[in-house]
Amino acid sequence: MPDKDNAIFFQTPGRHAAAYPYRILVGGHTFFTPAAPPVARRFHHQTLICTLSGLGEIRVGDAVSTAAPGSIAWLDTALAYRHGCHPQAQHWHYVWLGCEGAALERVFHLLQVGRAPLFELGGVADARPLFEAAVEALRSRPAAPEAVSNAFVAQIVALLAAQRGEEGEDDGDRIGLAIQAMRADLAGGWSVEALASIADLSPSQLHRRFRRLTGTTPMDWLRHERMNHAKGLLTRTAEKIAAVALDCGYADPYHFSRDFSRTVGISPSAFREGHGLPLPAKPAAIRLR
């Protein structure tokens, strides 16, 4: 199997990333066979998958879709999902983009993607050049990468909106509205009651529907999202641990460190030392004569 069929390229958001509504974090090509285990890992971003050849099987909650050549699947990987090669196919080859942005989440709800994650565009030629060019941009690292990635995602979103139309939110998107609110303000003092109000549900309804869609509770989901945000701050900035804790909604840095260690498996300092910026050097001791 050629290496290009399983290539992955990453893009770390720069200081101008927040100026654009869409951002590509990662993308590449994947070649699945029936023997390969399905993907179900939570990445806490939006993933767009364009099928090039073969067939894929995508499960979101209890719904199952077949991804054929020419289709685009849109997944919020913070929700419960699973995808892999269709059991009746010999392979599944696709190109994909991992994206984020508050505007992208809003479009996700407008197009009711949570209810129907698969878009049939009537030919791989409609979308393949955009996906291929976006992945090539990740590989080649052009000037103004944030503007370039925003442009590619905007064109893809325009294709999807034209195919489905902006139908507006329905009851199935209410949990998505709560997720969108938390992502927009990770440091906020969220409660189940506040989230239930945003979703226009009772707290018990929110808890039940949230667990069905994500496999966990609202507060546990928020904790994991905060830890993912903390990883980015630890690897991309030199902020002190206490400042990272505040950015993630923790007034007490010791509470943050305990949650981080329990979720990630190592302390924030150890994570930074192994994955990101070096730890600040300790000042040399001064010996008095």
Side-chain angles (χ1 to χ4, degrees):
M1 182 169 54
D3 290 342
K4 69 180 181 64
D5 289 338
N6 282 292
I8 301 177
F9 304 100
F10 295 88
Q11 177 173 281
T12 300
R15 58 193 180 95
H16 300 302
Y20 299 96
Y22 309 124
R23 294 179 290 279
I24 300 177
L25 304 176
V26 60
H29 284 257
T30 298
F31 191 97
F32 258 109
T33 64
V39 173
R41 184 180 174 188
R42 303 293 178 85
F43 293 101
H44 292 271
H45 59 230
Q46 310 279 348
T47 298
L48 298 167
I49 299 172
C50 177
T51 296
L52 303 180
S53 63
L55 294 175
E57 184 175 83
I58 297 174
R59 295 176 177 268
V60 179
D62 297 328
V64 181
S65 304
T66 298
S71 68
I72 294 178
W74 184 344
L75 304 175
D76 184 340
T77 59
L79 307 180
Y81 78 98
R82 182 180 297 269
H83 68 71
C85 184
H86 193 281
Q88 297 179 358
Q90 294 183 343
H91 76 277
W92 182 31
H93 185 196
Y94 61 83
V95 60
W96 60 278
L97 302 169
C99 314
E100 69 174 8
L104 195 64
E105 295 177 8
R106 181 65 178 173
V107 176
F108 183 95
H109 303 307
L110 286 174
L111 302 186
Q112 297 189 9
V113 180
R115 176 176 56 82
L118 197 67
F119 294 76
E120 302 288 351
L121 296 183
V124 73
D126 291 337
R128 177 171 177 168
L130 290 173
F131 277 82
E132 297 276 19
V135 171
E136 174 58 23
L138 291 176
R139 185 195 67 80
S140 61
R141 301 183 183 278
E146 291 91 356
V148 172
S149 66
N150 174 75
F152 281 124
V153 178
Q155 292 178 78
I156 294 170
V157 167
L159 280 177
L160 303 184
Q163 192 269 348
R164 182 169 294 178
E166 297 173 344
E167 301 177 8
E169 297 149 2
D170 64 6
D171 186 66
D173 289 315
R174 294 184 182 187
I175 299 304
L177 293 175
I179 286 176
Q180 180 181 347
M182 286 189 285
R183 278 179 170 159
D185 184 16
L186 287 176
W190 293 107
S191 66
V192 172
E193 290 74 20
L195 295 171
S197 177
I198 291 172
D200 195 21
L201 298 168
S202 70
S204 61
Q205 287 175 322
L206 174 78
H207 191 278
R208 184 172 62 256
R209 297 186 190 188
F210 200 100
R211 179 178 284 279
R212 185 174 68 246
L213 284 172
T214 68
T216 189
T217 66
M219 293 300 102
D220 191 56
W221 184 94
L222 176 61
R223 180 166 61 87
H224 279 80
E225 190 76 359
R226 284 171 168 171
M227 294 305 106
N228 277 296
H229 181 55
K231 289 178 186 178
L233 294 175
L234 291 168
T235 56
R236 297 194 303 266
T237 76
E239 284 190 4
K240 294 182 178 180
I241 302 299
V244 172
L246 279 176
D247 285 341
C248 296
Y250 289 82
D252 181 355
Y254 296 102
H255 183 197
F256 165 74
S257 294
R258 285 194 301 270
D259 267 6
F260 191 95
S261 299
R262 184 166 61 247
T263 304
V264 181
I266 57 176
S267 70
S269 297
F271 182 87
R272 168 173 278 171
E273 187 174 22
H275 298 82
L277 300 174
L279 294 174
K282 293 182 179 180
I286 300 177
R287 299 181 64 182
L288 301 176
R289 295 180 180 271

